[in-house]
Amino acid sequence: MSISPDARADLSRFWTTIEASAEIGKGRPGGLSRLALSDADRQMRDLFRSWCEEAGLTVEVDAAGSIFARRDGTDNSLPPILIGSHLDTQINGGRFDGIAGVLAGLEVVRRLNDLGHVTRRPIVVVNWTNEEGARFSPPMVASGCFVGTYDIGWVHDLIGDDGARFGDELERIGYKGDRPCKAGEIDAYFELHIEQGPILDAENREVGIVTGGYPVRGMRASFAGQTAHTGPTPMDLRRNALAAGARWLTAVDDLGWDFAVHDGKATAARLTAWPNKPGILSDTAEAVCDVRHPDPITTRAMAEKMRRALFEAAARCGCEAVIEDEWDWGGDIFDPELIEGLRHEARRMGFDWRDIQSQAGHDAYFLATHCPTAMIFAPCKNGITHNNEESCTPQDFVAGLNILLHAVVARADR
Amino acid sequence: MSISPDARADLSRFWTTIEASAEIGKGRPGGLSRLALSDADRQMRDLFRSWCEEAGLTVEVDAAGSIFARRDGTDNSLPPILIGSHLDTQINGGRFDGIAGVLAGLEVVRRLNDLGHVTRRPIVVVNWTNEEGARFSPPMVASGCFVGTYDIGWVHDLIGDDGARFGDELERIGYKGDRPCKAGEIDAYFELHIEQGPILDAENREVGIVTGGYPVRGMRASFAGQTAHTGPTPMDLRRNALAAGARWLTAVDDLGWDFAVHDGKATAARLTAWPNKPGILSDTAEAVCDVRHPDPITTRAMAEKMRRALFEAAARCGCEAVIEDEWDWGGDIFDPELIEGLRHEARRMGFDWRDIQSQAGHDAYFLATHCPTAMIFAPCKNGITHNNEESCTPQDFVAGLNILLHAVVARADR
């Protein structure tokens, strides 16, 4: 037999772990700055691991530093259920983005321990390394490697903005594990996350069942020009790579406004240049931009405009542009059966829920390429996130935690 | 009696010092990267000081690190003649920008030693610290302090892009001198420099007599926005300081093109932002731009457009903009009598010369606020500078060196 339909997660125990985690890697007032593979990340990992071990879980670390905390089932030959998210934060991050999902997984297994219930399939709680990409770009690199999108050698060789190498930092903090970074067979992946958008809060909903993500297309481009004196060099002889980059960012920001009426967005996210000094024109620049829109065809059109704008900006400034990297994600990627399972639990327990699309990237996007995947969104105040003002109350997690608990157990006992 | 009208500077001796200096602080092929107060700057200073001491000069260093190498006159109660420029370079600089003027001064005193001629007034060869502003902003900070524009405490507290403090770096390299950084009475200041523009080379002239500088107006501005997730945040709730900075740079670059027909220029020189990462909107940015035009009224109009564009860019992105610093220089600032003296020597020796306006900033601009000042330009290939391709031949300095020699002696013997 399974757990009682009336079983509920222990909200105050969950909140205690949230509060303890918010002491690690403090940033601006109320916020966190717990960058991937930093000392604070190590400290958080150590605490998470100790909680898992206290709960009787078997902890393994893979070659990308992701942590897998396993609770055996009655039939361990069956593929496991994974519940995961990430412990790292943005440089000016909040206290819920990521870790709420990991600690929700921990609460599920703790509750099962309380109830003395052993599921048929094993359950594994996962922390994915470097979800944010705030120190090492790209984001979600460990889950991407796990499903085979990235090569582990390439991941280890990533260099952060501070000059540190991913693989060296993994070793330094003691989280370069023995387990290969490679997904085996997985029965299902669940991720609870805060919405990072204003919809649930504005509609006063208790929870969102995520059907997929806004299609997103991004690119990283470099510009090559020529250093010269800013004084005498005539405009038509200038090859100012910084100006080219600024023109691209401006065009992309315009693109966001052009499509804003139907909730399109375009982001001028990053621009660096060299030497980037007064008195000298820059000969190199690098920039990152992306576009997103609820409709995939529109996203594709926006991406094409972003691409044309890149070469137009470079040409205007006498520079060469090269697209160094491109990515796209989102769409209706989550599993209909898992989604229906989540809706069923929401209805059964009487929560005020709605279907919702994610607007941010998540490790779940990569997992969805490998196994049935679903996500649950908890509301957050005004949708503010990637900011120290990010804010949730314990009440914001009641529906999400309990839907997760019952959906996971239903799947694991199947 | 004074020196013979037929006396000439020793070109090959001058060139030997240029070649020796080009070994110190090598950068990209053929160029230099001898940033102010770096180890390479110290090495160059040490060599320059040893040359001065060999030439019998008395070397003093002031509190801003500028080096003053003095050759006594027959009446040392009279105000001296200064000949100066700078030993530091841009991060991707050339082998002539700055140092040619310092070594020209050294050649003048060496030639006077050869001739056994002691001028009536003392002559002082000067190296001004941090002319380029490539490590510590603003440029020309030591000459500005010397004439009273900047306070020495403020100069010592400047922080470079590498986090180093100006005053600490002065001490580290052993060039924090005892002499107060304060100009006494000066009879005249001469500076020889490469043109850093294409005019002399294009017209095949041997030398330019500088009448003044293009009026320049620049500003450093900061933008304040708010970090937020790049995904869900709607365009109308974004306050992306990086996008605001990019918009300003784009508008300033456009401004340059608008006025290019009459040789106006506008420079998008520098942009930094924080966090400047994919996935998060930046909440702060800082940018430096300037405009210049041969006509001062047009420069003023361009500067006003640049200012309006700043607030327009900030408003478009929901950010606040603050002008952190503003500067203007240039105009007809040089001394008519000194200029006429230079023209006289050029005519007398039969050089192919022309009057010219400087388009770059020079320490001479600050000196001109304090004492009669003049500049001489040597041609440089295609006007390329602030680039490792900067190129001159010994022949490019023949006219400049000899005009400097005779004009200085005429003035010093007056």
Side-chain angles (χ1 to χ4, degrees):
Chain A
M1 60 165 278
S2 192
I3 62 173
S4 156
D6 298 330
R8 291 293 180 270
D10 184 335
L11 184 66
S12 93
R13 178 168 58 190
F14 167 76
W15 195 253
T16 302
T17 61
I18 287 281
E19 290 193 322
S21 73
E23 296 298 314
I24 300 174
K26 285 187 173 185
R28 293 187 184 174
L32 296 176
S33 187
R34 196 163 60 213
L35 295 183
L37 311 188
S38 65
D39 289 346
D41 187 18
R42 167 172 45 192
Q43 203 184 332
M44 186 63 240
R45 286 162 175 263
D46 289 349
L47 179 60
F48 171 63
R49 178 151 68 177
S50 74
W51 283 336
C52 291
E53 287 167 353
E54 281 167 24
L57 308 181
T58 307
V59 177
E60 287 186 320
V61 179
D62 78 6
S66 295
I67 301 173
F68 299 82
R70 177 186 177 95
R71 185 174 192 270
D72 280 343
T74 55
D75 184 352
N76 291 314
S77 68
L78 293 175
I81 311 291
L82 267 57
I83 311 171
S85 198
H86 58 97
L87 300 175
D88 71 323
T89 76
Q90 285 284 335
I91 196 165
N92 184 30
R95 304 187 301 146
F96 306 96
D97 175 359
I99 194 164
V102 181
L103 298 179
L106 178 65
E107 173 52 28
V108 166
V109 297
R110 284 174 162 182
R111 197 75 191 95
L112 292 177
N113 287 350
D114 300 338
L115 298 169
H117 179 73
V118 180
T119 51
R120 182 164 174 248
R121 295 164 188 271
I123 295 173
V124 183
V125 182
V126 188
N127 165 49
W128 304 108
T129 299
N130 190 48
E131 191 271 349
E132 295 289 4
R135 186 175 179 206
F136 298 96
S137 188
M140 302 175 284
V141 77
S143 55
C145 184
F146 185 72
V147 301
T149 299
Y150 304 125
D151 176 75
I152 186 67
W154 180 84
V155 172
H156 285 164
D157 284 340
L158 291 174
I159 303 294
D161 278 347
D162 52 5
R165 185 175 163 274
F166 193 101
D168 296 343
E169 285 293 281
L170 267 183
E171 288 200 33
R172 187 184 69 80
I173 68 164
Y175 277 90
K176 191 167 182 176
D178 297 329
R179 178 177 158 142
C181 183
K182 184 168 172 34
E185 208 182 331
I186 296 169
D187 185 67
Y189 176 74
F190 290 92
E191 183 167 352
L192 178 147
H193 205 284
I194 61 169
E195 180 197 345
Q196 305 189 284
I199 296 171
L200 297 175
D201 187 43
E203 297 185 1
N204 214 17
R205 304 274 190 176
E206 292 178 279
V207 68
I209 308 299
V210 188
T211 55
Y214 273 41
V216 176
R217 292 190 174 219
M219 52 179 68
R220 178 166 61 85
S222 65
F223 299 87
Q226 188 175 34
T227 63
H229 197 297
T230 55
T233 312
M235 294 307 292
D236 56 352
L237 296 182
R238 292 178 177 222
R239 300 179 58 206
N240 184 353
L242 173 63
R247 282 185 183 279
W248 189 42
L249 264 60
T250 300
V252 170
D253 195 57
D254 280 339
L255 194 53
W257 285 96
D258 291 346
F259 288 86
V261 64
H262 292 120
D263 207 29
K265 285 134 192 173
T267 303
R270 175 175 164 90
L271 177 61
T272 56
W274 191 93
N276 199 27
K277 303 263 191 190
I280 186 166
L281 304 177
S282 286
D283 68 3
T284 60
E286 193 176 281
V288 175
C289 291
D290 66 46
V291 294
R292 62 191 82 197
H293 193 283
D295 169 49
I297 292 168
T298 308
T299 301
R300 205 179 312 145
M302 291 175 76
E304 189 53 37
K305 280 171 175 271
M306 173 168 67
R307 181 192 313 273
R308 297 290 171 100
L310 169 65
F311 295 106
E312 190 174 297
R316 187 73 173 84
C317 295
C319 295
E320 307 289 325
V322 173
I323 297 174
E324 301 286 349
D325 195 14
E326 284 187 89
W327 54 90
D328 66 293
W329 22 272
D332 294 328
I333 53 178
F334 294 145
D335 182 70
E337 191 181 329
L338 290 191
I339 292 171
E340 194 44 49
L342 296 173
R343 288 182 189 133
H344 167 75
E345 297 297 345
R347 276 186 217 109
R348 185 181 66 76
M349 290 184 274
F351 294 123
D352 186 358
W353 64 281
R354 61 163 282 171
D355 281 352
I356 193 166
Q357 270 191 302
S358 172
Q359 299 192 56
H362 295 288
D363 293 306
Y365 288 28
F366 275 126
L367 271 294
T369 67
H370 181 79
C371 62
T373 293
M375 286 192 80
I376 301 167
F377 274 174
C380 60
K381 193 174 170 190
N382 296 325
I384 293 171
T385 178
H386 289 198
N387 186 295
N388 53 310
E389 306 271 315
E390 182 184 290
S391 177
C392 296
T393 63
Q395 199 57 36
D396 290 324
F397 293 100
V398 169
L401 276 175
N402 287 298
I403 291 169
L404 181 71
L405 171 66
H406 284 282
V408 163
V409 172
R411 183 81 184 184
D413 281 339
R414 200 178 88 259
Chain B
M1 59 168 278
S2 192
I3 62 173
S4 156
D6 298 330
R8 291 293 180 270
D10 185 335
L11 185 66
S12 93
R13 179 169 56 191
F14 166 76
W15 195 252
T16 302
T17 60
I18 287 280
E19 289 192 323
S21 73
E23 296 297 315
I24 300 174
K26 286 189 172 184
R28 292 188 185 173
L32 296 175
S33 186
R34 197 163 59 213
L35 295 183
L37 312 188
S38 65
D39 290 345
D41 187 17
R42 164 171 48 189
Q43 204 184 333
M44 186 63 240
R45 287 162 172 264
D46 289 349
L47 179 61
F48 171 64
R49 177 149 71 176
S50 73
W51 283 335
C52 291
E53 286 167 353
E54 280 167 24
L57 308 181
T58 307
V59 177
E60 288 186 320
V61 178
D62 78 6
S66 295
I67 301 173
F68 299 82
R70 178 187 176 96
R71 186 175 191 268
D72 280 343
T74 56
D75 184 351
N76 291 313
S77 69
L78 294 175
I81 313 289
L82 267 57
I83 312 172
S85 200
H86 58 96
L87 301 176
D88 71 322
T89 76
Q90 285 283 336
I91 196 164
N92 183 31
R95 303 188 301 145
F96 306 96
D97 174 1
I99 193 162
V102 181
L103 298 179
L106 178 66
E107 173 52 29
V108 166
V109 298
R110 282 175 163 182
R111 197 74 192 96
L112 293 176
N113 287 351
D114 301 338
L115 298 169
H117 179 75
V118 180
T119 52
R120 183 163 174 251
R121 295 165 188 273
I123 296 174
V124 183
V125 183
V126 188
N127 165 48
W128 303 108
T129 299
N130 190 46
E131 191 271 348
E132 294 291 3
R135 186 175 179 207
F136 297 97
S137 188
M140 304 175 282
V141 76
S143 55
C145 184
F146 185 72
V147 301
T149 300
Y150 303 124
D151 176 75
I152 187 67
W154 180 82
V155 172
H156 284 165
D157 285 339
L158 291 175
I159 303 294
D161 278 347
D162 51 5
R165 185 176 162 272
F166 193 101
D168 296 342
E169 284 294 280
L170 268 182
E171 288 200 34
R172 187 184 69 82
I173 68 164
Y175 277 89
K176 191 168 183 176
D178 297 329
R179 179 177 156 143
C181 183
K182 184 169 173 37
E185 209 181 331
I186 296 168
D187 185 68
Y189 175 74
F190 290 93
E191 183 166 351
L192 178 146
H193 206 282
I194 62 169
E195 180 198 345
Q196 306 189 282
I199 296 171
L200 297 176
D201 187 43
E203 296 184 0
N204 214 18
R205 304 275 191 177
E206 292 177 279
V207 67
I209 309 297
V210 188
T211 56
Y214 273 42
V216 176
R217 293 192 173 217
M219 53 180 67
R220 179 167 59 86
S222 65
F223 300 87
Q226 188 175 34
T227 62
H229 197 296
T230 55
T233 313
M235 295 306 292
D236 56 352
L237 295 182
R238 292 177 178 223
R239 300 180 58 207
N240 183 353
L242 173 62
R247 283 185 181 279
W248 189 43
L249 265 60
T250 299
V252 170
D253 195 58
D254 280 339
L255 195 53
W257 285 96
D258 291 346
F259 289 85
V261 65
H262 292 119
D263 207 30
K265 286 133 192 171
T267 302
R270 176 175 162 88
L271 177 61
T272 56
W274 191 92
N276 200 28
K277 303 263 190 190
I280 185 165
L281 304 177
S282 286
D283 67 4
T284 60
E286 193 177 278
V288 175
C289 290
D290 66 45
V291 294
R292 62 193 82 200
H293 193 282
D295 170 49
I297 292 169
T298 308
T299 302
R300 204 178 313 144
M302 290 175 77
E304 189 52 36
K305 280 171 176 271
M306 173 169 66
R307 180 192 314 272
R308 297 289 171 102
L310 169 65
F311 296 107
E312 191 175 296
R316 187 72 172 85
C317 295
C319 295
E320 306 290 325
V322 173
I323 297 175
E324 300 287 348
D325 196 14
E326 280 187 272
W327 53 91
D328 65 294
W329 22 274
D332 295 329
I333 52 177
F334 294 145
D335 183 69
E337 191 181 331
L338 289 191
I339 292 170
E340 194 44 47
L342 295 173
R343 291 183 188 130
H344 167 75
E345 298 297 346
R347 278 187 214 108
R348 185 181 66 75
M349 290 186 273
F351 293 123
D352 186 358
W353 64 280
R354 61 162 283 171
D355 282 352
I356 193 166
Q357 272 191 300
S358 172
Q359 298 191 56
H362 296 288
D363 293 306
Y365 287 29
F366 274 125
L367 272 293
T369 67
H370 180 80
C371 63
T373 295
M375 285 193 81
I376 302 168
F377 274 174
C380 61
K381 191 173 171 190
N382 296 325
I384 293 172
T385 178
H386 289 198
N387 186 295
N388 53 310
E389 307 273 314
E390 182 184 289
S391 176
C392 296
T393 64
Q395 199 57 37
D396 290 325
F397 292 100
V398 170
L401 275 175
N402 287 298
I403 292 169
L404 180 71
L405 171 66
H406 285 282
V408 163
V409 172
R411 183 82 185 185
D413 281 340
R414 201 178 87 259

